[in-house]
Amino acid sequence: MEAPPQQYVYKDMPSPLGELLLIASRSGLAAVLWDGAEYQRTKMPGAQKDDQHPLLLKAEQQLKEYFAKTRTVFDLPLDLKGTEFQLRVWTALLEIPFGVTKTYGALARVLGDSKAIRAVGGALNKNPVAIIVPCHRVIGASGQLVGFAGGLHNKSMLLQLEKSSRAPTLFDD
C-alpha cells in the first residue's frame, strides 16, 4: 500500500523582521520563509492554514523567545528536503553556535572541500528554514555581509540581536 502524500500546514507569524511563514509537515518544521519569499523555492506542495497546529505554535514560541533574547538554541524537529549536499550544508549550519559567525570558506572546509565555496553559497540560498537553520551566521571572507534570502538588512539585524546577547566570534576552523 502506498503512503499518503506528505501534507503541509502553515501559519503566519509577525516578527521584528516582518511577517514570517511557518510551514510544517507530519515529520517536522519544513520551512520558515520571509514575507514575500518565493514559496516555490522550497519545492513543497501547497499547504493548508492551521493557526493551532502544535508544532507551528511551538516554533512560533521559540522564535519569539529568540527575538526576546531568551533563547539561543532551538529545539524543534525539522523536515528538511534537499539534495544530499544541501542537507550536509544545512546540518553543518546547525553546528554554528549562537553569536558565532563562520565564513563560506570555513564552512566549505568543514564539509571537506575548500573549493566548494560557491556550492555552499548555493545551498545557503535554498535553506528553507531561515533563522532556525542559521544561514545568517555565514559571512564573506573579509567579514562583510553577503547573500541572504531575507535581505542583508535582516541578516544584519539577526547578527546584531545575537551580538547583543553574546559577544560574537569569527569561528574559522
Side-chain angles (χ1 to χ4, degrees):
M1 184 169 181
E2 201 172 302
Q6 184 73 284
Q7 294 177 346
Y8 293 92
V9 293
Y10 77 92
K11 105 185 266 342
D12 297 308
M13 175 192 162
S15 83
L17 306 177
E19 196 80 10
L20 297 174
L21 177 65
L22 310 179
I23 303 173
S25 70
R26 289 186 295 264
S27 303
L29 188 66
V32 175
L33 302 177
W34 302 97
D35 187 30
E38 185 182 334
Y39 181 78
Q40 292 77 18
R41 178 175 77 80
T42 63
K43 297 187 177 175
M44 288 186 286
Q48 293 190 321
K49 189 169 181 79
D50 185 349
D51 287 332
Q52 299 306 312
H53 189 278
L55 179 55
L56 295 175
L57 291 172
K58 184 176 180 181
E60 180 178 37
Q61 181 59 41
Q62 289 191 18
L63 282 162
K64 285 179 178 178
E65 292 166 358
Y66 170 84
F67 289 123
K69 302 177 186 179
T70 60
R71 174 174 291 277
T72 60
V73 176
F74 293 97
D75 180 26
L76 298 163
L78 300 176
D79 183 17
L80 300 173
K81 302 278 192 248
T83 67
E84 182 181 328
F85 182 76
Q86 288 169 337
L87 293 171
R88 286 182 55 223
V89 171
W90 301 336
T91 300
L93 290 175
L94 293 169
E95 300 300 318
I96 302 174
F98 180 91
V100 174
T101 57
K102 186 177 283 278
T103 65
Y104 289 89
L107 193 54
R109 286 191 298 279
V110 165
L111 295 167
D113 185 354
S114 62
K115 295 179 181 163
I117 295 169
R118 286 181 191 249
V120 165
L124 295 183
N125 182 51
K126 301 286 189 216
N127 173 17
V129 186
I131 305 168
I132 293 168
V133 178
C135 55
H136 62 277
R137 295 180 187 151
V138 181
I139 60 174
S142 66
Q144 78 273 19
L145 303 186
V146 294
F148 189 62
L152 294 182
H153 176 74
N154 284 337
K155 183 172 190 166
S156 176
M157 289 180 65
L158 290 168
L159 291 173
Q160 285 300 318
L161 178 143
E162 293 186 13
K163 180 180 179 181
S164 67
S165 298
R166 174 180 170 208
T169 311
L170 180 60
F171 185 74
D172 226 4
D173 36 65

